[in-house]
Amino acid sequence: MDYENNSWIWDGVYYYPHLFGGIMVTAALLGLSTSYFGGIGSFHKRKSGEKKRIRVYMDGCFDLVHYGHANALRQAKALGDELVVGVVNDEVIAEHKGPPVFNVEERLTLVNGLKWVDEVIPDAPYAISEEFMKRLFNEYKIDYIIHGDDPCLLPDGSDVYAAAKKAGRYKQIKRTEGVSSTDIVGRILASSRCRENGKDHIVNGEQHQEESQSEDSHISQFLPTSRRISQFSNGKEPGANARIIYIDGAFDLFHAGHVEILKRARELGDFLLVGIYSDETVREHRGSHYPIMRLHERSLSVLSCRYANEVIIGAPWKVTKDMITTFNISQVVHGTVAENSLKSESDPYEVPKNMGIFRLLESPKDTTTTSVAQRIIANHEAYKKRNAKKAQNEKRYYEEEKKYVSGE
């Protein structure tokens, strides 16, 4: 503002202070009311014209659910606002890939238990046809269909997601390296062979050594990073007066029984803290061929569960008074179904029992890591064929891709 050109204003303020004071106050109020009510108007405008929520769809067998599945769903959810997951039924899996390890009820429990999942469609088709795609768009209001950058092929070698790609409604995420259901089956079968050959170790040490070397390809390739752990973490701390529940275990080969017991434990309080035994602790109490999944792999599986709020990575076998005090634990719980320890020693829950804060929870399912492994071992020939078939299809896919890129 130019002072000289607007001297009348200052003269008015000097000679008629009450009049100009009233004018200034009125102007201020009008300005405030305009901005205030205008703000409300614009708020209502934003509300009525609110951006459409993006719904994305991802499907799969979700057999032997691991942190790779969880990371895929996490990435898919990041591409939209609501994640709908299709789960293929047992008969279709058997037709295309061989017998599933977990039945459809167990797989639905696992998928529903993942924190990024908003809705589940059971009996989803293995291949997305034009008809099912229209159903996704019209009935389920799906905007995009998501899949990883690894090949998903039909027996004839064609792309399962060809229709979605053609419709321009397909988005791709990065596959999580270092783990797959095929890899886990391989680890379990390798562990079984090692146990069988272990009896001959003293008599024929060279044979056992060769067997061990042949299993190197089934050793976990997972490289944990703080970034990956933070991506899976809730990042929330318990409130000042929160009732904190503690449950511990190996949580190896994460299964529906784990999800159900975590759900039951979470219902007892406001915050569920899960202790996950170290690999050394699991080997000491369960045998040298366990765990199948390494500590950080198991930690990510638990963190991906919607019922777990926080984990202790490498929790001790015994619950101590110091632990209870440090983490402000209100109650310690344990399921009725668990693997037996090879060591006969003092009760790991002696301290919380003496404090009157221990509770034994009835396990909703009788599934254990050993029983899951036994399912695979019992059908090992079928799973070997399944793994070989998948490897053959992938090899064919990449050969075709190479030809396409090179223009052959």
Side-chain angles (χ1 to χ4, degrees):
M1 178 182 290
D2 187 351
Y3 177 82
E4 294 296 331
N5 293 336
N6 296 282
S7 59
W8 64 273
I9 296 177
W10 302 107
D11 290 340
V13 170
Y14 182 81
Y15 292 110
Y16 307 102
H18 297 294
L19 174 60
F20 268 75
I23 292 172
M24 295 298 286
V25 170
T26 303
L29 287 172
L30 285 171
L32 176 62
S33 62
T34 303
S35 62
Y36 178 74
F37 291 110
I40 290 178
S42 61
F43 171 80
H44 282 299
K45 187 176 180 181
R46 286 196 299 271
K47 199 73 175 176
S48 60
E50 195 175 67
K51 185 180 176 183
K52 177 185 179 296
R53 290 183 66 78
I54 302 298
R55 284 168 63 83
V56 296
Y57 173 80
M58 191 170 193
D59 60 9
C61 301
F62 299 103
D63 198 20
L64 282 178
V65 170
H66 49 71
Y67 66 90
H69 290 124
N71 193 44
L73 295 174
R74 180 191 66 80
Q75 292 180 77
K77 178 65 178 280
L79 295 175
D81 302 299
E82 297 171 4
L83 174 61
V84 181
V85 179
V87 178
V88 180
N89 67 36
D90 297 341
E91 292 74 20
V92 173
I93 294 176
E95 178 186 349
H96 290 277
K97 302 181 74 171
V101 178
F102 293 136
N103 62 43
V104 70
E105 179 194 347
E106 293 172 306
R107 292 183 290 112
L108 286 170
T109 297
L110 281 161
V111 173
N112 273 304
L114 294 171
K115 65 171 71 172
W116 299 283
V117 177
D118 297 296
E119 187 179 339
V120 175
I121 301 175
D123 294 321
Y126 189 78
I128 296 181
S129 63
E130 293 278 355
E131 182 183 355
F132 183 71
M133 189 168 64
K134 288 177 182 176
R135 186 182 165 202
L136 286 177
F137 297 157
N138 298 326
E139 183 179 339
Y140 292 98
K141 308 302 179 186
I142 298 300
D143 296 284
Y144 296 103
I145 294 167
I146 317 292
H147 188 64
D149 55 10
D150 54 318
C152 190
L153 309 172
L154 293 170
D156 62 3
S158 61
D159 188 350
V160 168
Y161 297 96
K165 290 176 180 178
K166 185 179 178 182
R169 303 282 284 273
Y170 177 83
K171 287 192 176 184
Q172 190 165 281
I173 57 171
K174 186 173 175 57
R175 180 185 181 277
T176 304
E177 298 297 333
V179 68
S180 68
S181 298
T182 304
D183 165 60
I184 295 170
V185 167
R187 293 190 209 181
I188 293 167
L189 294 177
S191 176
S192 172
R193 287 193 293 271
C194 284
R195 280 198 297 276
E196 289 173 3
N197 293 332
K199 297 175 183 177
D200 301 326
H201 182 80
I202 299 174
V203 179
N204 192 350
E206 290 183 6
Q207 179 185 347
H208 181 65
Q209 186 177 8
E210 289 175 7
E211 184 69 31
S212 297
Q213 289 174 350
S214 70
E215 310 305 343
D216 284 350
S217 61
H218 295 298
I219 295 173
S220 169
Q221 303 299 311
F222 176 63
L223 298 175
T225 63
S226 59
R227 180 170 175 269
R228 178 69 76 221
I229 292 171
S230 67
Q231 287 172 337
F232 275 53
S233 176
N234 287 332
K236 295 179 181 178
E237 295 184 0
N241 300 312
R243 179 174 169 77
I244 300 173
I245 308 299
Y246 178 76
I247 187 170
D248 58 10
F251 296 98
D252 198 12
L253 295 179
F254 201 69
H255 52 71
H258 290 138
V259 175
E260 295 285 9
I261 197 68
L262 291 177
K263 179 181 180 182
R264 189 158 289 188
R266 177 65 179 80
E267 289 169 350
L268 298 175
D270 307 304
F271 192 93
L272 181 60
L273 176 64
V274 184
I276 303 172
Y277 301 146
S278 68
D279 295 344
E280 294 75 18
T281 298
V282 176
R283 280 194 287 270
E284 183 182 352
H285 290 273
R286 305 279 162 80
S288 60
H289 303 294
Y290 288 101
I292 302 297
M293 308 296 286
R294 299 297 176 250
L295 174 59
H296 285 86
E297 295 177 304
R298 294 182 283 118
S299 298
L300 290 181
S301 290
V302 174
L303 278 172
S304 69
C305 182
R306 67 173 72 249
Y307 306 113
N309 297 108
E310 181 62 287
V311 300
I312 298 176
I313 301 175
W317 179 257
K318 290 185 177 181
V319 180
T320 64
K321 178 69 181 299
D322 185 54
M323 266 184 66
I324 293 169
T325 303
T326 301
F327 294 102
N328 196 27
I329 295 168
S330 306
Q331 189 168 47
V332 176
V333 300
H334 189 64
T336 53
V337 173
E339 304 278 1
N340 293 323
S341 174
L342 298 176
K343 298 180 69 175
S344 56
E345 56 179 27
S346 59
D347 185 353
Y349 303 106
E350 182 180 357
V351 170
K353 283 179 180 178
N354 290 337
M355 294 174 66
I357 61 169
F358 178 81
R359 178 173 174 178
L360 193 63
L361 287 182
E362 186 69 32
S363 297
K365 296 183 181 294
D366 60 1
T367 312
T368 64
T369 300
T370 299
S371 70
V372 172
Q374 286 171 346
R375 296 184 196 183
I376 294 168
I377 294 165
N379 293 286
H380 69 282
E381 287 300 327
Y383 290 120
K384 280 170 67 177
K385 288 179 182 177
R386 184 175 90 170
N387 288 6
K389 184 178 179 181
K390 181 181 179 183
Q392 186 179 12
N393 285 340
E394 288 187 356
K395 182 181 179 182
R396 188 196 316 164
Y397 172 85
Y398 286 121
E399 285 174 351
E400 291 296 325
E401 282 286 300
K402 187 177 179 181
K403 288 180 182 179
Y404 176 79
V405 172
S406 61
E408 294 180 16

